[in-house]
Amino acid sequence: MDFPPCATAFFLFALLFSTAKAIDPCATQSDGSDLSVIPIYSKCSPFVPPNQDSWVNTVITMASKDPERLKYLSTLAPQKTTAVPIAPGQQVLHTGNYVVRVKLGTPGQQMFMVLDTSNDAAWVPCSGCTGCSSTTFSPNASTTLGSLDCSGAQCSQVRGFSCPATGSSTCLFNQTYGGDSSFSATLVQDAITLAADVIPGFTFGCINAVSGGSIPPQGLLGLGRGPISLLSQAGPIYSGVFSYCLPSFKNYYFSGSLKLGPTGQPKSIRTTPLLRNPHRPSLYYVNLTGVSVGRIRVPIPPEQLIFDPNTGAGTIIDSGTVITRFIQPVYLAIRDEFRKQVNGPFSSLGAFDTCFAATNEAEAPAITLHFSGLSLVLPMENSLIHSSSGSLACLSMAAAPNNVNSVLNVIANLQQQNLRIMFDTINSRLGIARELCN
């Protein structure tokens, strides 16, 4: 049967459109509670990358903020759990590498929120906000918005909350971010939609004012272990389980996934115990027992790796730090063994102090992280990063900064890419499985 020319043209256009839509890498790959996890500067993200000539330089720029984030992670303290009056507080946050697409309110308003496993509270810029980006959440457009005052338990669970000594008042809090930015927010409740799931009465901060340029433009989604985190608020919906697969920063067009709840998690995943630090309850501690470089087990004194809740020492898994950081003596031991097995000379590039000619990359040994009950051999793409010209390869790890409490080792997102990382807070275990996240 022949079609008239106009009908044929329309049919071809519709076919091309449907095909393009079917293979659109930025389309939500949702299945139940799955959400796309998007590198903040990928094509799938609405955010404009910094003016860099390569993804490597973008990563170096992002990693330059790691020392401030580690300082924040190292100085976390337990939060008061009673709604007593305190002075306005501040908390330093440093993250912004991966975002997830969610909807807030009824009807749902789309926001791209930063994924952060070391923070509990969620917050977004709201309409009328001073200093915020053009994309904001409009509370007045939602039919399910609820307010919270200082009498609510949620108020005291947010760091930096501010309440008067007497009487009732709206729950306010203040936080600093990125070292040069700060914001003030009001605690509210509304529905949040995550893929196919709707969680009513979700508590989050509605940002009223921002100063500085480091605040994530559309907010933050806290996946920590505290009482106000997404996991805690979702309760039995997700049974305290989530996992993510982070795509490589250099795969500009693709996204990974965030799986919420036990359904669909890998069946044969290897696990290691999660440790709880009552002084830093939001953080996901694991027992790192050693590191191997090639076939050599690096001689690291046990006291440099041991978990100590009193000092905060130990090792955490974190989605908001870019490159893995070890306390200085541990890093130097790893680096020196790595250098023994690769031909120099060595140079520096940004945060990386062990760069060598890429022609010697075949000699580069694998890095193995040994945890209780689990050893992870890092893929070479998770161990090395290349200069924009491709002439240098660099060990993509660094020493923790010398700050007031640099006792924390952080397994960061560059080393987690293209792995499925599962957090099971009910059974206190962390699982790792290989998976192509892109």
Side-chain angles (χ1 to χ4, degrees):
M1 179 178 180
D2 294 331
F3 292 96
C6 60
T8 302
F10 177 80
F11 174 78
L12 289 173
F13 174 79
L15 178 63
L16 286 169
F17 178 78
S18 62
T19 302
K21 185 175 181 181
I23 63 174
D24 179 8
C26 296
T28 301
Q29 307 296 319
S30 296
D31 180 13
S33 298
D34 290 12
L35 290 90
S36 294
V37 176
I38 305 165
I40 193 166
Y41 297 133
S42 76
K43 178 184 180 296
C44 304
S45 166
F47 307 117
V48 179
N51 186 21
Q52 305 285 354
D53 56 5
S54 71
W55 77 271
V56 175
N57 289 338
T58 299
V59 170
I60 290 172
T61 299
M62 293 164 64
S64 68
K65 300 177 182 179
D66 279 355
E68 286 298 323
R69 178 163 177 86
L70 264 73
K71 187 175 181 181
Y72 151 68
L73 295 173
S74 295
T75 54
L76 280 176
Q79 178 62 35
K80 294 181 181 297
T81 56
T82 177
V84 296
I86 63 169
Q90 292 184 322
Q91 176 188 16
V92 180
L93 306 168
H94 300 272
T95 187
N97 306 314
Y98 289 94
V99 294
V100 291
R101 185 188 293 110
V102 307
K103 291 183 178 180
L104 283 174
T106 308
Q109 302 171 44
Q110 181 170 278
M111 306 291 288
F112 286 83
M113 300 174 71
V114 163
L115 178 73
D116 191 352
T117 57
S118 294
N119 280 289
D120 294 329
W123 35 264
V124 295
C126 288
S127 56
C129 172
T130 303
C132 288
S133 65
S134 58
T135 302
T136 59
F137 171 67
S138 299
N140 292 337
S142 175
T143 61
T144 49
L145 184 81
S147 59
L148 286 168
D149 61 32
C150 287
S151 63
Q154 299 95 328
C155 183
S156 62
Q157 293 166 356
V158 179
R159 294 183 181 277
F161 76 91
S162 176
C163 286
T166 58
S168 62
S169 174
T170 301
C171 183
L172 304 174
F173 65 97
N174 302 277
Q175 296 182 353
T176 61
Y177 186 98
D180 62 348
S181 302
S182 63
F183 68 85
S184 61
T186 303
L187 205 64
V188 298
Q189 287 185 325
D190 209 335
I192 185 171
T193 302
L194 306 162
D197 301 332
V198 179
I199 301 174
F202 179 70
T203 300
F204 62 96
C206 199
I207 297 179
N208 308 311
V210 164
S211 64
S214 299
I215 305 297
Q218 296 187 22
L220 179 143
L221 185 65
L223 284 170
R225 305 175 77 176
I228 205 169
S229 73
L230 173 65
L231 275 193
S232 297
Q233 292 197 55
I237 297 176
Y238 299 134
S239 302
V241 177
F242 73 95
S243 73
Y244 55 64
C245 196
L246 303 178
S248 170
F249 290 132
K250 62 184 177 183
N251 287 294
Y252 183 67
Y253 286 93
F254 296 99
S255 60
S257 66
L258 170 67
K259 293 179 179 290
L260 295 163
T263 302
Q265 303 294 351
K267 301 298 182 184
S268 59
I269 195 166
R270 296 173 299 158
T271 64
T272 186
L274 277 175
L275 309 177
R276 179 175 288 279
N277 184 343
H279 297 292
R280 293 169 182 169
S282 301
L283 304 183
Y284 292 99
Y285 278 85
V286 290
N287 186 23
L288 180 69
T289 59
V291 178
S292 291
V293 177
R295 297 182 179 181
I296 304 299
R297 183 84 171 226
V298 179
I300 301 171
E303 61 269 18
Q304 294 179 356
L305 294 176
I306 196 167
F307 169 64
D308 185 343
N310 293 317
T311 64
T315 302
I316 67 166
I317 304 289
D318 180 46
S319 67
T321 308
V322 179
I323 60 175
T324 289
R325 305 269 181 159
F326 296 102
I327 62 171
Q328 194 162 70
V330 172
Y331 172 71
L332 293 178
I334 296 169
R335 183 200 68 181
D336 291 349
E337 180 57 43
F338 184 90
R339 288 182 175 184
K340 287 180 185 177
Q341 300 183 38
V342 180
N343 285 331
F346 299 100
S347 59
S348 298
L349 179 66
F352 311 114
D353 67 359
T354 301
C355 300
F356 53 94
T359 52
N360 295 332
E361 187 174 336
E363 303 171 4
I367 305 292
T368 303
L369 304 177
H370 301 286
F371 304 98
S372 295
L374 164 65
S375 290
L376 173 64
V377 181
L378 292 177
M380 200 55 68
E381 66 175 5
N382 292 22
S383 301
L384 298 180
I385 191 168
H386 296 83
S387 63
S388 56
S389 66
S391 61
L392 291 177
C394 305
L395 178 64
S396 57
M397 300 174 182
N402 289 320
N403 57 37
V404 293
N405 190 19
S406 56
V407 296
L408 193 65
N409 302 303
V410 180
I411 309 301
N413 58 47
L414 194 63
Q415 280 63 50
Q416 298 177 49
Q417 291 175 355
N418 286 318
L419 296 169
R420 172 66 57 183
I421 311 293
M422 184 189 73
F423 301 77
D424 182 348
T425 61
I426 301 301
N427 296 301
S428 295
R429 60 182 188 145
L430 178 128
I432 303 177
R434 298 203 180 277
E435 182 177 325
L436 186 62
C437 303
N438 305 311

